[in-house]
Amino acid sequence: MSNAAAVTRMTDLSTQLIHHAYTPPAGFAAPQPGVFKASTVIFANVAAMRSTEWKDKSGYTYGLHGTPTSFMLEERLCTLEGGLQCLLLPSGLAAIANVALALLKTGDEVLIPDNAYGPNKTLADGELKDWGITHRFYDPMDPSDLAAKISPKTRLVWLEAAGSVTLEFPDLLEQARICRSRGVISALDNTWGAGLAFQPFDLEPGTATGLGVDISVHALTKYPSGGGDVLMGSVITRDPGLHMRLKLCHMRLGLGVAANDVEAVLRSLPSLELRYQAHDHAARALARWCTQRPEFAQVLHPALVSSPGHGHWQALCGGASGGAAGLLSVIFHERYRQSQVDAFCDALRYFKLGYSWGGPMSLVVPYELAAMRLAWPAHLAHGILVRFSVGLEAVSDLQSDLEQALGALA
Ligand SMILES: *Cc1c(COP(=O)(O)O)cnc(C)c1O
């Protein structure tokens, strides 16, 4: 007796609905892949249950360990960033934490650039410190400072290009070279570059070594999501052994992502490059306009010749396939008080007050830089800093918005 016949003879409605015999015809094709949702995964028999491996993509064991939907996103992200293995996490910060927790133990030290994404520094100063893992902040614009701070205790070096909020562009190639020569694992927060501005695993394209970082962390929350409505992160590697260390920690911590969120990112990925270019062009135009305004002491955007590290950006991302994301920061002249700058932010109509970036809506955040850095960097003017995330609105509308809001400074 066939399985289907057995099911149709059941009298209990609930049982029939749970064990329904109908299977739709195979071969459905559409532009977007189907979405598989599961905690439980069904095995054909006990032998399959015992033998199915969760550590590679050879089969399915439990929703937390992967579905066709999550595997598909992992592979597409590997293509985007030029890596070979990928882990998905519930946020960009969770991806950062996974790297730290997998690679550091009591007595180890992690080095973090002074302009790193703030919560990365906070994690080091919180849980990591409590667990006897020390950290030091290094000058992102001075590779010799990084070299000097690497000690026998150093197990992990974070890199970030461009730096969060202040957007200095470091000599990433030299930093990666230092980490490689000292035998320390390098992990890049690649959210800004997004796999588009430069190739994290191939910082010297066309050379024999193709030197790159060991780990690329990406807050998919930003450009890959593109909607301001999804939180997700990824950890990408090229080395299978390193990937397995990260994956075992990922598994033990129970970190997973929701299928609906994966679907949203899969839906946004095809337009990633076009959106990134649009954000990039708009941010460059507004950055140039800002340099003409007397209210600003400094405009920070890596593509501006006057911006710290512009030469490094030019060398790594300045070619035809490069990019510069959609962020810019301004430092107001010292004559402006906090209340005036706050009034400017409040007067903006299209730039909304809110954290994060990468979505269609332009955003603005005033920062207290003094509290974020070891000391006020010599390459930055003194004054109140405001960061803009440029969305996909018309550049002329955004420029008019900035112009009218500057009137609120008076
Ligand atoms: C936003 C961001 C993160 C964290 O991403 P979440 O998904 O918000 O946790 C990490 N690094 C950088 C550079 C970011 O901008």
Side-chain angles (χ1 to χ4, degrees), residues 41-53:
V41 168
I42 310 290
F43 299 91
N45 50 50
V46 173
M49 190 171 215
R50 292 214 177 101
S51 65
T52 305
E53 181 54 73

Side-chain angles (χ1 to χ4, degrees), residues 1-22:
M1 182 169 48
S2 77
N3 208 21
V7 170
T8 48
R9 224 184 292 141
M10 286 174 182
T11 51
D12 183 87
L13 180 60
S14 297
T15 305
Q16 287 193 52
L17 293 177
I18 294 165
H19 296 270
H20 204 283
Y22 176 75

Side-chain angles (χ1 to χ4, degrees), residues 90-96 116-120 160 162-164 189-192 217-222 230-233 327 356-357 387:
S91 70
L93 181 55
I96 290 172
Y117 177 65
N120 188 345
E160 199 168 325
S164 271
D189 185 328
N190 195 28
T191 305
W192 181 93
V217 165
H218 194 161
L220 307 175
T221 305
K222 309 292 165 58
V230 174
L231 287 157
M232 201 181 295
L327 299 173
S356 201
W357 37 279
R387 187 192 70 188

Side-chain angles (χ1 to χ4, degrees), residues 79 174 205 209 338 350 374:
T79 299
E174 181 59 18
T209 60
Q338 188 71 58
Y350 291 128
L374 290 170

Side-chain angles (χ1 to χ4, degrees), residues 51-92:
S51 65
T52 305
E53 181 54 73
W54 62 269
K55 288 193 191 125
D56 55 35
K57 292 194 173 96
S58 58
Y60 306 101
T61 54
Y62 191 57
L64 206 49
H65 303 155
T67 63
T69 307
S70 65
F71 287 176
M72 201 170 285
L73 180 58
E74 288 171 12
E75 290 301 308
R76 291 180 189 194
L77 293 171
C78 284
T79 299
L80 171 66
E81 299 209 34
L84 294 176
Q85 308 92 13
C86 176
L87 296 170
L88 297 176
L89 295 102
S91 70

Side-chain angles (χ1 to χ4, degrees), residues 40-341:
T40 298
V41 168
I42 310 290
F43 299 91
N45 50 50
V46 173
M49 190 171 215
R50 292 214 177 101
S51 65
T52 305
E53 181 54 73
W54 62 269
K55 288 193 191 125
D56 55 35
K57 292 194 173 96
S58 58
Y60 306 101
T61 54
Y62 191 57
L64 206 49
H65 303 155
T67 63
T69 307
S70 65
F71 287 176
M72 201 170 285
L73 180 58
E74 288 171 12
E75 290 301 308
R76 291 180 189 194
L77 293 171
C78 284
T79 299
L80 171 66
E81 299 209 34
L84 294 176
Q85 308 92 13
C86 176
L87 296 170
L88 297 176
L89 295 102
S91 70
L93 181 55
I96 290 172
N98 193 138
V99 171
L101 268 54
L103 303 180
L104 300 170
K105 58 179 170 30
T106 303
D108 291 345
E109 183 157 271
V110 54
L111 301 181
I112 303 173
D114 194 33
N115 60 357
Y117 177 65
N120 188 345
K121 299 168 98 174
T122 311
L123 172 67
D125 207 34
E127 274 69 13
L128 299 189
K129 193 160 122 190
D130 291 345
W131 298 336
I133 298 160
T134 57
H135 64 275
R136 295 171 84 189
F137 300 126
Y138 67 88
D139 180 350
M141 303 309 283
D142 179 6
S144 71
D145 187 50
L146 168 61
K149 283 180 174 150
I150 294 177
S151 79
K153 286 173 55 179
T154 312
R155 290 286 171 275
L156 175 65
V157 172
W158 280 102
L159 307 169
E160 199 168 325
S164 271
V165 179
T166 40
L167 299 168
E168 303 100 330
F169 209 92
D171 188 347
L172 194 60
L173 185 58
E174 181 59 18
Q175 291 177 327
R177 196 175 280 133
I178 290 167
C179 294
R180 187 64 53 90
S181 72
R182 302 288 290 275
V184 180
I185 294 171
S186 58
L188 171 73
D189 185 328
N190 195 28
T191 305
W192 181 93
L196 297 167
F198 57 89
Q199 288 303 302
F201 297 100
D202 196 7
L203 297 170
E204 280 187 311
T207 67
T209 60
L211 180 73
V213 300
D214 296 312
I215 299 169
S216 175
V217 165
H218 194 161
L220 307 175
T221 305
K222 309 292 165 58
Y223 295 117
S225 146
D229 56 354
V230 174
L231 287 157
M232 201 181 295
S234 61
V235 178
I236 296 183
T237 45
R238 268 192 181 174
D239 178 85
L242 181 57
H243 169 69
M244 199 45 65
R245 288 175 72 187
L246 296 161
K247 187 175 174 66
L248 288 171
C249 176
H250 181 266
M251 184 275 283
R252 287 189 290 256
L253 292 173
L255 297 167
V257 292
N260 284 347
D261 289 344
V262 174
E263 177 193 21
V265 179
L266 281 170
R267 196 166 195 275
S268 294
L269 270 192
S271 62
L272 172 67
E273 196 173 7
L274 293 175
R275 287 184 286 106
Y276 192 85
Q277 284 167 2
H279 289 290
D280 180 346
H281 290 156
R284 287 191 211 207
L286 291 176
R288 276 193 301 274
W289 181 81
C290 286
T291 60
Q292 308 300 316
R293 295 294 310 201
E295 293 89 350
F296 304 133
Q298 196 171 14
V299 183
L300 302 166
H301 182 293
L304 291 177
V305 177
S306 57
S307 199
H310 168 75
H312 301 311
W313 172 83
Q314 180 68 35
L316 196 64
C317 320
S321 63
L327 299 173
L328 72 132
S329 293
V330 294
I331 298 180
F332 280 83
H333 260 289
E334 269 192 292
R335 63 176 175 274
Y336 296 111
R337 297 183 310 276
Q338 188 71 58
S339 59
Q340 289 173 287
V341 175

